[in-house]
């Protein structure tokens, strides 16, 4: 099966992946699970965690990986279209993981590919496997989603992690606190979708106006590469910084998450705080992507 959009993942599917990922967590031998299968990782945009955790996940499952992390050295450089690239590569592999700067690129690939396609980020739109590992991290720390106050802070407009995380969380009774400058706020369509599903959504400008209530603070990077100009980006660079002062206002069991990479939005001094969970979150990419690959490849398309 494909993993393209978070909206189309049912609560049952999400729960099944989280449960399955738990099974893949311990360092047991899973090398027979996808033995002989081949995964293509096509990264048209930079990636560290997503690319390498998919690779690690596939190899731990006994499969093999081929792919590219820049278009240099591929026929894309000669002007080959995405459609042709997918047509060709899908003939060589059992599944495709793809990251692309254009919204909807993963859906297009899935429409023409006979093998499953997993969206590893399409523009500012979606990043479903990031959402799954974010949920996995929250569940590992709190056991239940119901009743949690979750703050999502930073670039909610261009970022592609806050929106799908919110959509997935709308399956439970959570309260969302959006912390952003008005110019980088969550789009109205998403807020309406969430409120229609019964989620309480509060929008604030300052971290200080939400921090005391939060169980989870999910920080995001200001997405420099998606701003029309450098000058526009510089207006927002460094607007939110979690440091010891902010942490001193937070609950004792609040957790800090971040999809990473961070630029300046979490001070290094926070790394030693037991509430800092972003490195644990990044590690969770492996078991969660093992569960996703297993489900994607085992289920016919
Ligand atoms: C994120 C992404 O690429 O959307 N990174 C990731 O996958 N962990 C977040 C970001 O780049 O800010």
């Amino acid at each position: 099966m494909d993993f393209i959009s978070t909206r189309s993942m049912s609560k049952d599917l999400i729960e099944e992946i989280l449960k399955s990922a738990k099974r893949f967590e311990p360092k047991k031998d899973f090398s027979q699970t996808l033995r002989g299968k081949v995964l293509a990782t096509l990264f048209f945009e930079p990636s560290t965690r997503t690319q390498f955790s998919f690779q690690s996940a596939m190899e731990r499952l006994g499969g093999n990986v081929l792919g590219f992390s820049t278009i240099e050295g591929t026929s894309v450089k000669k002007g080959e279209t995405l459609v042709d690239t997918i047509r060709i590569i899908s003939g060589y592999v059992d599944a495709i993981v793809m990251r692309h700067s254009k919204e909807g690129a993963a859906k297009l690939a899935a429409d023409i590919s006979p093998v499953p396609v997993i969206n590893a980020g399409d523009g500012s739109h979606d990043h479903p496997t990031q959402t799954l590992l974010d949920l996995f991290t929250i569940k590992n720390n709190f056991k239940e989603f119901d009743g949690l106050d979750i703050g999502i802070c930073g670039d909610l407009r261009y970022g592609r992690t806050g929106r799908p995380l919110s959509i997935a969380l709308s399956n439970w009774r959570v309260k969302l606190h959006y912390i952003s400058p008005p110019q980088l706020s969550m789009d109205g369509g998403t807020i309406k979708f969430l409120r229609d599903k019964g989620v309480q959504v509060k929008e604030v400008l300052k971290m200080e106006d939400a921090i005391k209530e939060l169980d989870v603070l999910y920080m995001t990077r200001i997405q420099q590469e998606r701003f029309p100009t450098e000058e526009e980006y510089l207006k927002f660079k460094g607007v939110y910084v979690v440091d010891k002062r902010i942490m001193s206002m937070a609950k004792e069991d609040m957790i800090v998450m971040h999809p990473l990479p961070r630029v300046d939005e979490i001070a290094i001094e926070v790394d030693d705080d037991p509430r800092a969970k972003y490195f644990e979150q990044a590690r969770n990419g492996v078991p969660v992507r093992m569960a996703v690959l297993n489900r994607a490849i085992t289920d016919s398309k």
Side-chain angles (χ1 to χ4, degrees):
M1 69 174 287
D2 299 314
F3 284 81
I4 302 301
S5 88
T6 303
R7 255 189 221 215
S8 59
M9 293 195 301
S10 67
K11 184 177 181 181
D12 282 353
L13 176 66
I14 294 172
E15 284 180 329
E16 183 204 303
I17 298 286
L18 300 185
K19 208 167 140 198
S20 162
K22 201 85 196 156
R23 189 170 68 89
F24 286 123
E25 223 177 351
K27 295 234 176 307
K28 283 194 235 145
D29 180 10
F30 292 104
S31 62
Q32 299 306 309
T33 316
L34 292 180
R35 201 191 157 97
K37 302 286 185 192
V38 182
L39 174 71
T41 54
L42 312 183
F43 282 80
F44 295 82
E45 270 199 335
S47 172
T48 301
R49 276 148 294 275
T50 307
Q51 182 183 183
F52 294 123
S53 61
F54 262 116
Q55 197 165 337
S56 169
M58 189 62 180
E59 286 177 13
R60 284 172 195 269
L61 292 168
N64 296 298
V65 184
L66 54 84
F68 56 79
S69 51
T70 99
I71 60 164
E72 304 300 317
T74 73
S75 285
V76 177
K77 200 68 192 153
K78 300 179 190 167
E80 185 160 62
T81 62
L82 177 62
V83 169
D84 280 0
T85 304
I86 298 298
R87 270 200 193 111
I88 301 305
I89 292 178
S90 61
Y92 301 156
V93 298
D94 300 287
I96 294 174
V97 168
M98 188 177 87
R99 168 171 289 184
H100 201 281
S101 58
K102 293 228 163 50
E103 304 196 357
K107 165 87 172 64
L108 174 70
D111 287 346
I112 54 171
S113 166
V115 300
V117 175
I118 300 167
N119 182 5
D122 61 328
S124 302
H125 180 232
D126 212 328
H127 194 354
T129 63
Q130 179 69 45
T131 291
L132 288 166
L133 76 91
D134 293 343
L135 294 174
F136 187 77
T137 306
I138 296 174
K139 200 165 163 78
N140 277 355
N141 281 279
F142 290 101
K143 311 287 175 259
E144 295 296 335
F145 296 110
D146 284 332
L148 293 180
D149 277 70
I150 298 171
I152 306 184
C153 175
D155 185 351
L156 310 182
R157 177 180 181 186
Y158 296 117
R160 60 178 162 214
T161 56
R163 189 172 300 106
L165 176 60
S166 307
I167 289 168
L169 284 167
S170 73
N171 287 300
W172 289 275
R173 276 186 301 102
V174 296
K175 183 168 172 188
L176 294 177
H177 303 250
Y178 287 143
I179 309 157
S180 75
Q183 299 90 330
L184 300 182
S185 62
M186 186 59 76
D187 62 283
T190 301
I191 294 185
K192 182 174 180 322
F193 171 88
L194 297 167
R195 288 195 172 134
D196 287 349
K197 283 195 75 178
V199 176
Q200 279 190 65
V201 181
K202 206 170 146 187
E203 292 182 277
V204 298
L205 192 61
K206 286 168 62 189
M207 233 189 296
E208 287 85 342
D209 294 337
I211 190 79
K212 292 186 184 72
E213 290 175 63
L214 301 182
D215 300 300
V216 177
L217 172 60
Y218 188 97
M219 292 300 294
T220 65
R221 176 177 69 89
I222 307 293
Q223 305 277 301
Q224 176 171 13
E225 67 277 29
R226 303 197 201 286
F227 278 78
T229 61
E230 169 84 3
E231 198 190 340
E232 272 298 299
Y233 164 67
L234 291 174
K235 283 187 202 159
F236 300 104
K237 184 184 181 309
V239 278
Y240 299 110
V241 178
V242 182
D243 53 13
K244 280 195 168 155
R245 185 184 69 88
I246 293 284
M247 292 304 285
S248 72
M249 292 183 243
K251 287 186 190 171
E252 263 175 41
D253 64 347
M254 185 196 79
I255 64 169
V256 185
M257 295 174 63
H258 192 310
L260 302 178
R262 71 172 147 185
V263 180
D264 49 16
E265 55 280 355
I266 302 178
I268 310 281
E269 65 188 23
V270 177
D271 293 358
D272 295 331
D273 191 306
R275 296 170 290 180
K277 300 292 180 189
Y278 29 93
F279 297 123
E280 170 186 317
Q281 181 186 356
R283 276 197 301 279
N284 288 337
V286 174
V288 170
R289 290 181 168 123
M290 286 170 84
V292 168
L293 286 170
N294 188 39
R295 178 65 202 255
I297 295 175
T298 312
D299 260 32
S300 65
K301 186 156 158 120

